[in-house]
C-alpha cells in the first residue's frame, strides 16, 4: 500500500484532525441510515493507504466539501476507483493543484516513498511533455478562494525564486531543498488555493512554476530523481496554465538535463526537439543555445557525430545572439562559457580531445558563479589528463576541490569523484596530493 498523500494534504488544508474526520463521517453516515463507529485509528489506516469500504469515501468527500466550501471528488482525496480511465488530457487544473501541494507536503515531511521514488520512463515520462505541447489550453485559470491574491504576493514568489537560486549556486541543492519546499508549503500553496482573476492567476502560476523548477533542481542535485522529475512535470503544467511557452521550454530543458544524466539519450534529443518546435521563433537565444548544446551531448553519446556537430554549430550561433537584459530570469544560468563546457563534453565523447581542450579552457577563462566554476574546472582537468598534461590536470583539480568547499551537492560530488579516479588511475606525479585534497572535500557526509 502507498500512503494517501492527497487525503493527508486535504485534511491539513481543512484543519480537521483524525478524530474529527472520524466523528464527522459517523454523523454523515447517520443521515443516510448507516451505523458507523469510526475512530482516529481508522483514519490513520486510510492515510497509510487502506481504502474505506462502502459509501465511506463519498461521505469523506461530503464532509470535506462542507468544511472547505468547494466540491471535493474521490480523485481529490486519493480514493478514485482503481483502474478507471483518466479524464481526457489529464486532471483539471484545480485537481492538479491539490496533487502538487500534496507532494510538497510529503516532501517537507520527508516521506520515504516520495524521496526514494525512481524516475519514470516510457509513456509516463513523455505524456507531461506531450500534454504541454498540445491542446487544450487553459482558457480561464481564475479561482474563487477566500484569500485574494495580490501583485505583492506574486512579487514575493519571484523574489523567493531568485533568492533560492542564488542559495543553490553557492551552497548546493542538498542544503537548499528543504528551504524551497518549506516556502512552497507555507506561501505558494495558500496562494494557489486563493482567489484570483484569470490575469492574476496566470502570473501566479508562472511565478509558482519558476519556483517549483528550483525545487526540482535541488531534488536532482540531491539524487532524488523521481521527486525531481515530478517537480519538473509540475513546473511544465504550471507553465501551461500561465500561457508562457518560454517557461515551459525552460522546464523541458531541465528534463533534458536529467535525461542526459540518466543516460536516456534519445529521450533527451526528443524532449529538446519538442521544446524548440513548440516555442519556435519565440525561443530566447540563451535557452536555444542550451537546448542545442545538450542535444549535441546526447548525439555524441549515441555515436552520431554528424548530428552532434550540427547541434554544436546551432548552439554556438544562438549563444552569439544572447543579449543580457533581454532574457527572462530563469535563463540566467546560461552564462558566458556554459555552451563552451557543454560543447567540450560533447567533443570529448566524440574523441576530439584537442577541440574539447580549447572549449574547456575558454569556459574556465570566463567568469562564472561558484557552482558553474566547479563543473568547468572538472571538465578542464579531465581534458588535460586525456591530453597527457598531468601537471595542468593536477593543478586544475586542486582549484576545483578548493572551489567546491562548503557546497552540499551530489552532482558536484560525482564530478569530484570522477576527477579523482582519473587522476589516481593515471599515476602521474602530484596526483596523490590532489586526490587527498578531493578526499578532504568528500569527507563530510551529506
Amino acid at each position: 500500500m502507498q500512503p494517501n498523500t492527497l487525503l493527508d494534504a486535504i485534511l491539513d488544508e481543512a484543519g480537521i484532525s483524525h478524530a474529527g474526520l472520524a466523528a464527522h463521517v459517523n454523523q454523515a453516515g447517520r443521515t443516510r441510515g448507516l451505523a458507523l463507529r469510526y475512530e482516529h485509528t481508522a483514519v490513520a489506516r486510510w492515510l497509510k493507504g487502506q481504502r474505506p469500504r462502502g459509501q465511506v469515501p463519498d461521505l469523506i468527500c461530503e464532509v470535506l466539501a462542507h468544511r472547505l466550501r468547494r466540491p471535493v471528488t474521490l480523485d481529490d482525496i486519493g480514493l478514485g476507483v482503481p483502474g478507471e480511465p483518466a479524464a481526457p488530457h489529464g486532471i483539471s487544473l484545480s485537481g492538479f493543484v491539490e496533487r502538487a501541494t500534496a507532494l510538497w507536503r510529503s516532501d517537507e515531511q520527508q516521506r520515504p516513498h516520495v524521496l526514494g521514488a525512481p524516475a519514470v520512463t516510457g509513456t509516463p515520462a513523455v505524456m507531461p511533455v506531450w500534454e504541454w505541447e498540445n491542446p487544450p489550453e487553459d482558457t480561464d485559470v481564475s479561482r474563487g478562494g477566500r484569500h485574494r491574491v495580490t501583485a505583492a504576493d506574486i512579487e514575493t514568489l519571484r523574489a523567493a525564486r531568485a533568492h533560492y537560486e542564488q542559495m543553490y549556486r553557492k551552497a548546493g541543492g542538498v542544503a537548499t531543498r528543504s528551504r524551497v519546499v518549506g516556502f512552497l508549503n507555507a506561501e505558494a500553496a495558500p496562494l494557489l488555493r486563493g482567489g484570483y482573476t484569470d490575469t492574476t492567476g496566470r502570473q501566479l502560476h508562472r511565478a509558482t512554476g519558476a519556483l517549483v523548477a528550483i525545487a526540482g533542481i535541488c531534488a536532482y542535485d540531491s539524487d532524488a530523481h523521481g521527486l525531481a522529475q515530478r517537480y519538473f512535470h509540475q513546473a511544465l503544467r504550471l507553465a501551461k496554465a500561465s500561457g508562457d511557452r518560454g517557461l515551459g521550454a525552460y522546464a523541458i530543458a531541465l528534463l533534458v538535463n536529467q535525461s542526459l544524466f540518466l543516460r536516456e539519450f534519445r529521450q533527451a534529443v526528443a524532449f529538446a526537439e519538442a521544446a524548440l518546435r513548440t516555442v519556435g521563433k519565440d525561443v530566447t537565444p540563451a535557452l536555444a543555445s542550451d537546448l542545442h548544446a545538450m542535444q549535441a551531448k546526447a548525439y555524441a553519446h549515441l555515436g552520431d557525430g554528424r548530428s552532434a556537430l550540427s547541434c554544436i554549430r546551432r548552439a554556438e550561433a544562438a549563444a552569439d545572439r544572447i543579449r543580457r537584459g533581454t532574457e527572462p530570469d530563469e535563463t540566467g544560468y546560461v552564462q558566458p562559457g556554459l555552451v563552451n563546457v557543454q560543447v567540450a563534453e560533447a567533443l570529448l565523447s566524440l574523441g576530439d580531445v584537442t577541440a574539447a581542450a580549447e572549449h574547456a579552457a575558454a569556459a574556465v577563462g570566463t567568469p562564472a558563479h561558484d557552482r558553474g566554476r566547479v563543473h568547468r574546472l572538472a571538465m578542464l582537468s579531465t581534458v588535460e589528463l586525456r591530453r597527457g598534461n598531468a601537471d595542468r590536470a593536477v593543478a586544475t583539480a586542486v582549484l576545483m576541490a578548493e572551489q567546491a568547499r562548503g557546497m552540499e551537492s551530489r552532482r558536484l560530488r560525482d564530478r569530484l569523484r570522477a576527477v579523482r579516479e582519473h587522476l589516481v588511475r593515471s599515476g602521474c606525479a602530484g596526483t596523490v596530493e590532489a586526490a587527498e585534497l578531493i578526499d578532504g572535500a568528500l569527507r563530510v557526509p551529506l
Side-chain angles (χ1 to χ4, degrees):
M1 290 191 298
Q2 288 291 328
N4 190 335
T5 55
L6 285 173
L7 181 58
D8 195 13
I10 204 168
L11 287 182
D12 184 59
E13 181 192 355
I16 189 169
S17 67
H18 296 182
L21 178 64
H24 284 298
V25 166
N26 292 340
Q27 176 61 40
R30 281 194 286 275
T31 65
R32 297 191 186 188
L34 302 173
L36 303 177
R37 294 182 178 82
Y38 286 113
E39 296 181 351
H40 67 92
T41 52
V43 178
R45 290 195 297 273
W46 302 340
L47 293 174
K48 289 177 181 177
Q50 184 184 87
R51 183 181 176 83
R53 297 177 181 177
Q55 300 179 43
V56 174
D58 293 315
L59 295 175
I60 295 171
C61 289
E62 183 181 312
V63 168
L64 292 170
H66 178 74
R67 184 85 168 207
L68 294 169
R69 301 179 187 175
R70 71 166 191 262
V72 174
T73 68
L74 292 173
D75 283 339
D76 292 336
I77 62 172
L79 294 174
V81 179
E84 276 196 356
H89 302 289
I91 59 174
S92 67
L93 182 57
S94 61
F96 161 78
V97 166
E98 295 311 318
R99 282 160 175 73
T101 53
L103 177 69
W104 305 347
R105 189 167 183 270
S106 295
D107 186 5
E108 187 173 28
Q109 294 173 342
Q110 298 195 351
R111 298 292 179 87
H113 73 283
V114 169
L115 302 181
V120 297
T121 58
T123 301
V126 173
M127 278 305 293
V129 176
W130 187 90
E131 289 178 348
W132 168 76
E133 190 179 1
N134 292 282
E137 306 300 323
D138 294 289
T139 55
D140 184 2
V141 301
S142 61
R143 186 160 174 156
R146 281 174 279 183
H147 171 75
R148 298 303 297 176
V149 177
T150 66
D153 293 324
I154 294 168
E155 194 54 45
T156 297
L157 295 179
R158 291 172 180 156
R161 190 213 69 84
H163 174 78
Y164 292 123
E165 180 181 58
Q166 288 302 314
M167 184 183 296
Y168 159 76
R169 288 176 175 177
K170 294 179 183 298
V174 175
T176 307
R177 189 167 67 83
S178 63
R179 302 288 294 276
V180 183
V181 174
F183 183 90
L184 285 172
N185 278 297
E187 305 295 335
L191 293 177
L192 286 175
R193 296 190 184 111
Y196 37 85
T197 63
D198 178 66
T199 300
T200 301
R202 292 189 187 279
Q203 295 172 353
L204 172 63
H205 286 84
R206 194 203 182 289
T208 306
L211 189 59
V212 166
I214 298 294
I217 291 168
C218 290
Y220 167 81
D221 202 38
S222 305
D223 256 352
H225 284 286
L227 181 60
Q229 187 185 50
R230 291 178 73 180
Y231 276 125
F232 296 151
H233 288 165
Q234 286 184 5
L236 202 53
R237 181 64 185 92
L238 289 162
K240 182 155 188 168
S242 77
D244 188 329
R245 285 291 191 185
L247 180 64
Y250 162 70
I252 290 184
L254 299 175
L255 286 166
V256 172
N257 184 62
Q258 184 183 40
S259 297
L260 286 171
F261 178 79
L262 297 175
R263 305 188 67 79
E264 297 281 351
F265 300 124
R266 296 193 186 283
Q267 179 173 281
V269 169
F271 282 177
E273 284 178 351
L276 291 164
R277 177 175 61 245
T278 304
V279 182
K281 61 181 176 59
D282 294 326
V283 68
T284 69
L287 193 56
S289 67
D290 190 39
L291 287 167
H292 285 307
M294 288 193 290
Q295 274 190 314
K297 286 162 62 173
Y299 278 126
H301 282 293
L302 291 168
D304 186 345
R306 178 182 292 181
S307 295
L309 292 173
S310 175
C311 288
I312 286 173
R313 287 191 291 271
R314 290 177 192 152
E316 291 175 335
D320 288 340
R321 297 196 304 272
I322 297 173
R323 298 292 179 267
R324 295 296 148 194
T326 62
E327 291 278 340
D329 292 341
E330 291 77 30
T331 57
Y333 72 95
V334 187
Q335 297 182 328
L338 175 71
V339 169
N340 290 108
V341 78
Q342 300 268 47
V343 168
E345 188 174 336
L347 292 170
L348 197 62
S349 295
L350 293 174
D352 191 343
V353 181
T354 301
E358 292 175 3
H359 281 279
V364 169
T366 307
H369 57 72
D370 296 350
R371 181 189 182 82
R373 185 154 180 77
V374 175
H375 280 295
R376 295 177 190 200
L377 289 167
M379 176 53 62
L380 182 59
S381 179
T382 301
V383 173
E384 291 291 7
L385 202 59
R386 284 275 293 270
R387 293 181 79 194
N389 297 329
D391 290 344
R392 289 184 189 175
V394 168
T396 304
V398 168
L399 287 175
M400 174 201 67
E402 291 173 346
Q403 184 79 51
R405 284 180 178 170
M407 296 185 189
E408 295 191 353
S409 162
R410 300 286 183 191
R411 294 288 70 75
L412 290 187
R413 288 196 160 208
D414 289 345
R415 297 305 295 265
L416 291 173
R417 288 192 185 98
V419 170
R420 183 193 185 284
E421 184 180 330
H422 290 147
L423 289 171
V424 171
R425 199 185 308 150
S426 75
C428 298
T431 57
V432 173
E433 177 194 351
E436 287 177 353
L437 198 61
I438 294 173
D439 286 339
L442 296 172
R443 193 163 288 127
V444 179
L446 298 185

